[in-house]
Amino acid sequence: MENSGSETCQPLKDFYIPDYIFDTEAEPQIVNDFPACPVIVFINSRSGGQLGGDLIRTYRELLNKLQVFDLGEEAPDKVLCTLYGNFEKLKSHGNSPAAHIQNNLRLIVAGGDGTASWLLGVVSDLKLAQPPPIATVPLGTGNNLPFSFGWGKKNPGTDPGSVKSFLDQVMKAREMKIDSWHIIMRMRAPKAGACDPIPPLELPHSLHALQRVSSADSLNVEGYHTFRGGFWNYFSMGMDAQVSYAFHSERKSHPEKFKNQLTNQGTYAKLGLTQGWFFASLSHPSSRNIAQLAKVKIMKNGHWEELRIHQSIRSIVCLNLPSFSGGFNPWGTPSKTKTRDRGLTPPYVDDGLIEVVGFRDAWHGLVLLAPNGHGTRLAQAHRIRFEFHKGSADHTFMRIDGEPWKQPLPEDDDTVVVEISHLGQVSMLATEQCRSKSVDEQLTPSSASHHSEGDSPEDSDDEWEGERRKFGAAETFKIPEDIDISNLS
């Protein structure tokens, strides 16, 4: 039994990265066999109850402990900054293992959707010529990102056998591009009180990107506060975000009650009832319905065109991936008639289009359980804009990739603007069970024509265009002074 346990914890050579890659002052080791699939592992120790901490221990037993990082202690931007600086130093001295590891590097992130989005945002900001692809470990409540790419949605096993099995899948996984979306929020500075849409101490990982721009930024407007960031899966507003906000608030107040995924999901369902999401027509003020809160516009042929939102719609979702609320696909696959009459396409994750879907209440959401069920399809667009004017509601709820917040709305004759636009792409790792579809897999004439419609980011010249390409998650990313950034590859 002792020998068996010893073998279990032997470092896995196919994934192992030696010490000197992390410390260039260390003596380079003679390597005969290069790792086939070198990995850097980021784990949110606070996700999944006790699972995050257990996973860290197991990965550090099976790999070099230096290649496994606890996101509660080290930010991924600083880790990757140091790592890629080391790669360049080592390659400049002719170190071929360093070049091999850099070219074959894969990232693993374990946590909720917010944690995964944080890492994706950082990688997006690095602007590397060959960004490492990313595998996601489902360690949250919804786990929409890992589910979309075939990694499942149930929390994983933390024993060595389960971790080895996951690493084998990482080695076999294929790369797949995914669109990223830039979001800008602009609001007038209030006369009194806090101006941040999210209190700084409550800022979730995925919203580290949603931060106030500096006074020197071209997006800055005197008398206003402008925030920018990005997302990968969805932006939602309305009652679904309200329930999510209640869940996160409860979990923050009573963390001891949220020890496993099943309990978390049960609590989420109960909060849906208490918040009135299932009986919205009786308990939800019509003043908070989307049509009453905001004007919704999409960019078409270089012009903003207002969408007609039915008065009963209480939640709106701008969706990039075919997974929402733990695996549902609100867009579905439009019929040939819808494709012909409205120009709608299947939800490809790399076509530069975001799907806009509306829901009346939770019962409406249950249609997603049906084989061809879907929400109210409103539009597909490269850019979408929400304009909030003074009204009877003083706030609404918003959510980005599972992370919600309470958003104040104008009290005076002012407007809060939220604008979403296509930013770029990053590489994900997908298994054979991947649910996401690429436009390259099934490019139809309809989708090709729809993709060319509207105003692409390159052609727009409005005031927000100059700086919006930066995702924003890696504000602290700095190349060491002795490394020429032009040499990064």
Side-chain angles (χ1 to χ4, degrees), residues 216-267:
D217 198 302
S218 63
L219 296 176
N220 182 63
V221 176
E222 187 175 353
Y224 286 81
H225 290 297
T226 302
F227 303 82
R228 68 166 175 216
F231 65 94
W232 306 91
N233 191 3
Y234 66 87
F235 166 86
S236 72
M237 180 183 70
M239 280 215 72
D240 77 291
Q242 178 179 332
V243 174
S244 179
Y245 182 82
F247 173 82
H248 280 253
S249 299
E250 182 73 10
R251 182 166 61 178
K252 183 179 179 181
S253 301
H254 304 284
E256 71 281 358
K257 297 180 180 179
F258 297 81
K259 292 296 186 181
N260 62 72
Q261 187 180 40
L262 189 60
T263 300
N264 293 356
Q265 291 172 341
T267 302

Side-chain angles (χ1 to χ4, degrees), residues 88-110:
E88 296 306 317
K89 286 181 180 179
L90 291 166
K91 290 193 300 182
S92 68
H93 290 90
N95 188 285
S96 55
H100 170 87
I101 291 172
Q102 180 182 355
N103 291 335
N104 293 276
L105 185 66
R106 297 189 162 196
L107 304 184
I108 297 172
V109 57

Side-chain angles (χ1 to χ4, degrees), residues 138 140-144 146-147 151-155 261 265 326-328:
T141 302
N143 298 318
N144 293 292
F147 186 62
W151 300 103
K153 56 183 177 180
K154 292 183 178 180
N155 290 165
Q261 187 180 40
Q265 291 172 341
F328 294 122

Side-chain angles (χ1 to χ4, degrees), residues 4 19 48 86 115 134 145 166 185 268 330 340 379 419 423 440 445:
S4 175
D19 289 3
N86 289 349
T115 302
I134 301 166
L145 266 166
F166 186 89
M185 177 187 296
Y268 203 102
R340 182 187 68 241
E419 184 175 325
L423 174 66
D440 293 331

Side-chain angles (χ1 to χ4, degrees), residues 418-450:
V418 175
E419 184 175 325
I420 296 168
S421 54
H422 185 257
L423 174 66
Q425 293 182 328
V426 74
S427 294
M428 299 293 292
L429 288 170
T431 73
E432 294 181 352
Q433 287 73 44
C434 177
R435 298 167 61 89
S436 298
K437 300 296 183 184
S438 168
V439 70
D440 293 331
E441 297 174 18
Q442 190 177 346
L443 184 61
T444 64
S446 172
S447 63
S449 63
H450 193 97

Side-chain angles (χ1 to χ4, degrees), residues 375-415:
T376 300
R377 299 185 183 114
L378 300 174
Q380 287 175 300
H382 295 286
R383 299 178 72 175
I384 183 169
R385 184 169 184 161
F386 299 86
E387 296 178 357
F388 302 87
H389 301 278
K390 179 182 178 181
S392 54
D394 60 1
H395 69 273
T396 187
F397 295 88
M398 299 181 182
R399 183 163 58 145
I400 293 180
D401 285 354
E403 307 287 357
W405 74 95
K406 184 178 180 178
Q407 173 61 42
L409 296 179
E411 297 180 358
D412 304 314
D413 294 331
D414 189 22
T415 303

Side-chain angles (χ1 to χ4, degrees), residues 51-66:
L51 296 183
D54 293 343
L55 268 183
I56 289 175
R57 286 188 286 273
T58 303
Y59 271 101
R60 285 177 175 170
E61 288 175 356
L62 296 174
L63 304 172
N64 186 339
K65 64 180 181 180
L66 295 178

Side-chain angles (χ1 to χ4, degrees), residues 7-188:
E7 290 176 3
T8 298
C9 294
Q10 289 298 313
L12 303 178
K13 294 182 179 179
D14 283 336
F15 307 95
Y16 189 89
I17 298 178
D19 289 3
Y20 75 88
I21 295 294
F22 302 95
D23 181 7
T24 55
E25 300 302 319
E27 186 70 24
Q29 301 168 9
I30 299 176
V31 179
N32 296 322
D33 298 319
F34 294 171
C37 182
V39 296
I40 295 293
V41 184
F42 295 100
I43 300 174
N44 186 345
S45 58
R46 300 169 187 170
S47 293
Q50 301 299 320
L51 296 183
D54 293 343
L55 268 183
I56 289 175
R57 286 188 286 273
T58 303
Y59 271 101
R60 285 177 175 170
E61 288 175 356
L62 296 174
L63 304 172
N64 186 339
K65 64 180 181 180
L66 295 178
Q67 69 190 96
V68 182
F69 297 90
D70 182 350
L71 288 172
E73 299 176 356
E74 298 178 89
D77 47 356
K78 295 179 181 179
V79 170
L80 293 175
C81 167
T82 301
L83 180 64
Y84 276 85
N86 289 349
F87 281 146
E88 296 306 317
K89 286 181 180 179
L90 291 166
K91 290 193 300 182
S92 68
H93 290 90
N95 188 285
S96 55
H100 170 87
I101 291 172
Q102 180 182 355
N103 291 335
N104 293 276
L105 185 66
R106 297 189 162 196
L107 304 184
I108 297 172
V109 57
D113 285 332
T115 302
S117 296
W118 182 21
L119 180 63
L120 266 63
V122 168
V123 172
S124 177
D125 268 356
L126 300 190
K127 299 293 191 291
L128 300 172
Q130 187 181 349
I134 301 166
T136 53
V137 181
L139 208 60
T141 302
N143 298 318
N144 293 292
L145 266 166
F147 186 62
S148 297
F149 294 93
W151 300 103
K153 56 183 177 180
K154 292 183 178 180
N155 290 165
T158 61
D159 59 283
S162 297
V163 171
K164 285 182 178 180
S165 177
F166 186 89
L167 286 170
D168 287 339
Q169 289 187 72
V170 170
M171 182 185 293
K172 298 172 184 175
R174 61 186 174 92
E175 292 189 35
M176 186 174 185
K177 294 292 185 182
I178 173 181
D179 290 325
S180 65
W181 294 88
H182 186 265
I183 181 168
I184 288 179
M185 177 187 296
R186 178 172 290 164
M187 56 192 296
R188 186 181 293 277

